[in-house]
Amino acid sequence: MSFLRTPDPNPGWLSDDELAETRARVPMLYVEAVPVRVDADGRVTTVGMLLRVSESGLTRALVSGRVRHGEEVRSALLRHVENDLGPTAMPQLPPSTVPFAVAEYFPWPGLSPLSDTRQHAVALAYVVPVAGDCEPRQDALELAWLTPGDAVSEGVASEMEGGRGTLVRQALASVGCLL
Amino acid sequence: MSFLRTPDPNPGWLSDDELAETRARVPMLYVEAVPVRVDADGRVTTVGMLLRVSESGLTRALVSGRVRHGEEVRSALLRHVENDLGPTAMPQLPPSTVPFAVAEYFPWPGLSPLSDTRQHAVALAYVVPVAGDCEPRQDALELAWLTPGDAVSEGVASEMEGGRGTLVRQALASVGCLL
Amino acid sequence: MSFLRTPDPNPGWLSDDELAETRARVPMLYVEAVPVRVDADGRVTTVGMLLRVSESGLTRALVSGRVRHGEEVRSALLRHVENDLGPTAMPQLPPSTVPFAVAEYFPWPGLSPLSDTRQHAVALAYVVPVAGDCEPRQDALELAWLTPGDAVSEGVASEMEGGRGTLVRQALASVGCLL
Amino acid sequence: MSFLRTPDPNPGWLSDDELAETRARVPMLYVEAVPVRVDADGRVTTVGMLLRVSESGLTRALVSGRVRHGEEVRSALLRHVENDLGPTAMPQLPPSTVPFAVAEYFPWPGLSPLSDTRQHAVALAYVVPVAGDCEPRQDALELAWLTPGDAVSEGVASEMEGGRGTLVRQALASVGCLL
């Protein structure tokens, strides 16, 4: 076992060309978080969804982002939660990095209910309780808190990108909140 | 589906005779918690163990207790964590009640590395981060915080009741802290 | 650690009176199996449901049964699968006894979507691929194989006892077959 | 949602240069399998390890390989199991793609007990029962079946590449076979 290389000072950053090239070659590793509020006993009470403006109009989104070269899965998850929900969200990352689902996104139909026109992406998906104040940053307009029942409704699912309504249902099933 | 019965005002309490009789008839459902401290990223840093005085001397114990008739698993878990660690422990119960392990204790040897001379017990076991101050109550002398490496050592395992060193190793393996 | 007792030659059998008395005292530990067919790659293709005649007409059921005193969870799961699906079902029990859900059934409403008028029961629920021929025994008329889509439909859910449509959805979500 | 692209006829194949370039840019997604034999009840009885000749002498290995662009995780897992164990291994892939662990390999020390001098790799790791005859192919000399106790011994762990002794312990902990 030799350790010839040392960490890059700016690890994982890619130019647009490098990103496009890489996306055509390998599945891109992502993390996704379904933000939730929990009660004093730890039961999920509401589900957070980001509202975004995209080409196809207003869409609902989860916390999602790429794992960079040299970055731990846990660090990537925290980084994207903080990027998307703001620095005061107080997320409680789970002690285990085993996801509730491995979400597979393909740029062509048929292999999965999930899709991503940009790339083949494989996302490790987590339910993340957040205890603090969320201030959506970046391109999100708002963070809406929905009841589990609303979160898995057909209407909400149809507003989610890439078929992620399915992932929200899996998330709520994993915490016993899917009726 | 009919709901003829209403909840007992004092549900789940059993006399000594009733308890002895019941223990001879069915497996007793328990919950167990491995208390942990986590860092800002949610990584487990230390493992909490209770020190108890038992017939065989000083022993180390986990949070553990029976699920009562009419009680939810989550409520039982919270009740026992608060009983054993005190009211200011600030436990973060996981959003899912799926345990990291189903621990089976038998009063006779051979079926499981775990044993309980009193009964056949089946425990749903959880890793529970605690953020606050712990003040062991009841019959515990102290709560000691051990590194994961110390927690899974032979020495510590030999001081645990009923073979629970095995359960601690499973707990730490489930959160990626077993080397 | 002392082992004073030896296994009962007929462990876990209870008279009607003992069973009624015990059900009023403690939660009863159950195992449940959602039988599935899988393709050559291990993907779930269909879900098996038992058709039973009950007081309220025809109902759909999962494999379900009590864990006896002195019996391992795994042995109870195998015993009930064989009882309900016949000796040639060739079930592939999972290598881990961690369930996809802990299903909590109460005799009164409000604590859980699941109910059991007879008792407070806590069931460890598993998805169990079966490779052989199933011949429902005991009180079941038939074993029907449904597509995942049909299995989670409102119509089918309404025909299941105790709200188990919810459990079927959790099962299919856990294997990535819930749309 | 548009589907402009169609699957590549030879998806996921990369030249040596492309592979080297890609490895420097993003974490590479892998699947790993811990092959096991199970008894009639589904309990793990032995663990399969491949013996390989590497630069540093004889080493023990698990089933491991890259997920290709456009390939499902499940298909990659099956492909690598068949490549490494031969066409008659009769693997029983789990119905869920949720791994028992997310194994993170870095080319530099300190972030994880696991390492890979070639790359930053993230592996989804599964316990896979195999029912048939295994004929190791490719560069493996032999497939040895070890008891769980031997599989987690210090001696065996020291012969495994990249610190995978840790992963074997996690695998056995997840199926309740770690003492």
Side-chain angles (χ1 to χ4, degrees):
Chain A
M1 200 162 64
S2 66
F3 298 107
L4 302 177
R5 278 172 279 172
T6 52
D8 189 318
N10 186 14
W13 187 88
L14 298 179
S15 72
D16 285 354
D17 278 1
E18 287 170 335
L19 187 58
E21 206 173 49
T22 306
R23 281 174 161 164
R25 289 176 180 168
V26 289
M28 304 292 283
L29 184 64
Y30 272 65
V31 286
E32 286 196 283
V34 180
V36 296
R37 295 284 193 199
V38 296
D39 68 15
D41 296 6
R43 275 183 205 85
V44 171
T45 55
T46 53
V47 179
M49 290 192 188
L50 296 160
L51 267 181
R52 288 215 167 107
V53 184
S54 75
E55 296 169 20
S56 52
L58 279 175
T59 59
R60 295 177 186 276
L62 303 174
V63 171
S64 179
R66 197 159 68 74
V67 181
R68 288 181 181 160
H69 188 266
E71 185 179 39
E72 286 179 277
V73 165
R74 178 178 292 284
S75 303
L77 182 60
L78 185 60
R79 177 169 60 83
H80 289 294
V81 168
E82 291 186 339
N83 271 355
D84 284 353
L85 304 185
T88 58
M90 293 181 58
Q92 298 173 351
L93 298 203
S96 165
T97 55
V98 171
F100 74 83
V102 175
E104 305 185 54
Y105 297 86
F106 292 94
W108 45 73
L111 286 180
S112 163
L114 304 169
S115 64
D116 184 336
T117 53
R118 301 168 301 171
Q119 62 193 349
H120 173 199
V122 175
L124 307 176
Y126 303 91
V127 172
V128 177
V130 296
D133 292 327
C134 296
E135 301 170 18
R137 297 198 295 186
Q138 302 195 326
D139 58 341
L141 298 177
E142 191 195 347
L143 179 75
W145 292 102
L146 283 71
T147 65
D150 286 347
V152 301
S153 67
E154 284 299 324
V156 167
S158 69
E159 292 165 7
M160 301 200 75
E161 292 178 309
R164 279 181 181 78
T166 291
L167 195 62
V168 171
R169 287 172 195 174
Q170 272 186 285
L172 287 169
S174 79
V175 296
C177 288
L178 186 79
L179 298 194
Chain B
M1 202 162 64
S2 66
F3 298 106
L4 302 177
R5 278 173 278 173
T6 51
D8 189 318
N10 186 14
W13 187 87
L14 298 179
S15 72
D16 285 355
D17 278 0
E18 287 170 336
L19 187 58
E21 206 173 49
T22 306
R23 281 174 161 163
R25 290 178 180 168
V26 290
M28 305 293 282
L29 184 64
Y30 271 64
V31 287
E32 286 196 283
V34 180
V36 296
R37 295 284 194 200
V38 296
D39 67 15
D41 297 5
R43 272 184 206 86
V44 170
T45 54
T46 53
V47 179
M49 290 193 189
L50 296 160
L51 267 180
R52 289 214 167 107
V53 183
S54 76
E55 295 168 20
S56 50
L58 279 175
T59 59
R60 294 178 187 274
L62 303 174
V63 171
S64 177
R66 197 160 67 75
V67 181
R68 287 182 181 159
H69 188 266
E71 185 180 39
E72 287 179 276
V73 166
R74 176 178 293 284
S75 303
L77 182 59
L78 185 60
R79 178 170 59 85
H80 289 294
V81 168
E82 292 186 338
N83 271 356
D84 284 353
L85 303 185
T88 57
M90 293 182 58
Q92 298 172 352
L93 297 203
S96 166
T97 55
V98 172
F100 75 81
V102 175
E104 306 185 54
Y105 298 85
F106 292 94
W108 45 74
L111 287 180
S112 162
L114 304 170
S115 65
D116 184 336
T117 54
R118 301 167 301 170
Q119 61 192 351
H120 173 199
V122 175
L124 307 176
Y126 303 91
V127 172
V128 177
V130 296
D133 291 327
C134 295
E135 301 170 18
R137 298 197 297 185
Q138 301 194 327
D139 57 340
L141 297 177
E142 191 195 346
L143 179 74
W145 293 102
L146 284 70
T147 64
D150 286 346
V152 301
S153 67
E154 284 299 323
V156 167
S158 70
E159 293 165 5
M160 300 200 75
E161 291 179 309
R164 280 182 182 78
T166 291
L167 195 62
V168 171
R169 286 170 195 175
Q170 272 186 283
L172 287 169
S174 78
V175 297
C177 289
L178 186 79
L179 298 193
Chain C
M1 201 162 66
S2 66
F3 298 107
L4 302 177
R5 279 172 278 172
T6 51
D8 189 317
N10 186 14
W13 187 88
L14 297 179
S15 72
D16 285 354
D17 278 359
E18 287 170 334
L19 187 58
E21 207 173 47
T22 306
R23 281 173 161 163
R25 290 177 180 169
V26 289
M28 304 293 283
L29 183 64
Y30 271 65
V31 287
E32 286 196 284
V34 180
V36 297
R37 294 284 192 198
V38 296
D39 68 14
D41 296 6
R43 274 183 205 87
V44 170
T45 54
T46 53
V47 179
M49 290 192 187
L50 295 161
L51 267 181
R52 288 214 168 107
V53 184
S54 75
E55 295 168 20
S56 51
L58 280 175
T59 58
R60 294 177 187 275
L62 302 174
V63 171
S64 179
R66 197 159 68 74
V67 181
R68 288 182 182 160
H69 188 266
E71 185 180 38
E72 286 180 277
V73 166
R74 177 179 293 285
S75 303
L77 182 59
L78 184 61
R79 178 170 59 84
H80 289 293
V81 168
E82 291 187 338
N83 270 355
D84 285 352
L85 303 185
T88 57
M90 293 181 60
Q92 298 172 351
L93 297 203
S96 165
T97 54
V98 172
F100 72 84
V102 175
E104 305 184 54
Y105 297 86
F106 292 94
W108 44 73
L111 287 180
S112 161
L114 304 170
S115 65
D116 184 336
T117 54
R118 301 168 301 170
Q119 62 192 350
H120 173 200
V122 175
L124 307 176
Y126 304 91
V127 172
V128 178
V130 295
D133 292 326
C134 296
E135 302 170 18
R137 298 198 296 186
Q138 300 193 327
D139 58 340
L141 298 177
E142 192 195 346
L143 179 75
W145 292 102
L146 283 70
T147 65
D150 286 346
V152 301
S153 67
E154 285 299 325
V156 166
S158 70
E159 293 165 6
M160 300 199 76
E161 292 178 309
R164 280 182 180 78
T166 291
L167 195 62
V168 171
R169 286 171 195 175
Q170 273 187 282
L172 287 169
S174 78
V175 296
C177 289
L178 186 78
L179 299 194
Chain D
M1 201 163 64
S2 66
F3 298 106
L4 301 177
R5 279 171 278 173
T6 51
D8 189 317
N10 186 14
W13 187 88
L14 297 179
S15 71
D16 284 354
D17 278 1
E18 287 170 334
L19 187 58
E21 207 173 47
T22 306
R23 280 174 162 164
R25 290 177 179 167
V26 290
M28 304 293 282
L29 184 64
Y30 271 64
V31 287
E32 286 196 285
V34 180
V36 297
R37 295 283 193 200
V38 297
D39 68 15
D41 296 5
R43 274 183 205 86
V44 170
T45 54
T46 52
V47 179
M49 290 192 188
L50 296 160
L51 268 180
R52 289 215 168 106
V53 183
S54 76
E55 295 168 19
S56 50
L58 279 175
T59 59
R60 294 178 186 274
L62 302 174
V63 171
S64 179
R66 198 160 66 74
V67 181
R68 288 182 180 161
H69 188 266
E71 185 180 39
E72 287 179 277
V73 166
R74 177 179 293 284
S75 303
L77 182 60
L78 185 60
R79 177 169 60 85
H80 288 294
V81 168
E82 291 186 338
N83 270 356
D84 284 353
L85 303 185
T88 57
M90 293 182 58
Q92 298 173 351
L93 298 203
S96 165
T97 55
V98 171
F100 74 83
V102 175
E104 306 185 53
Y105 298 86
F106 292 94
W108 44 73
L111 287 179
S112 163
L114 304 170
S115 65
D116 184 336
T117 54
R118 302 167 301 170
Q119 61 193 352
H120 173 198
V122 175
L124 307 176
Y126 304 91
V127 172
V128 177
V130 296
D133 292 327
C134 296
E135 302 170 18
R137 297 198 296 186
Q138 300 194 328
D139 57 340
L141 297 177
E142 191 195 346
L143 179 75
W145 292 102
L146 284 71
T147 65
D150 286 347
V152 301
S153 68
E154 284 300 324
V156 167
S158 70
E159 293 165 6
M160 301 200 75
E161 292 179 308
R164 279 182 182 77
T166 291
L167 194 62
V168 171
R169 285 171 196 176
Q170 273 186 282
L172 287 169
S174 78
V175 297
C177 288
L178 186 79
L179 297 193

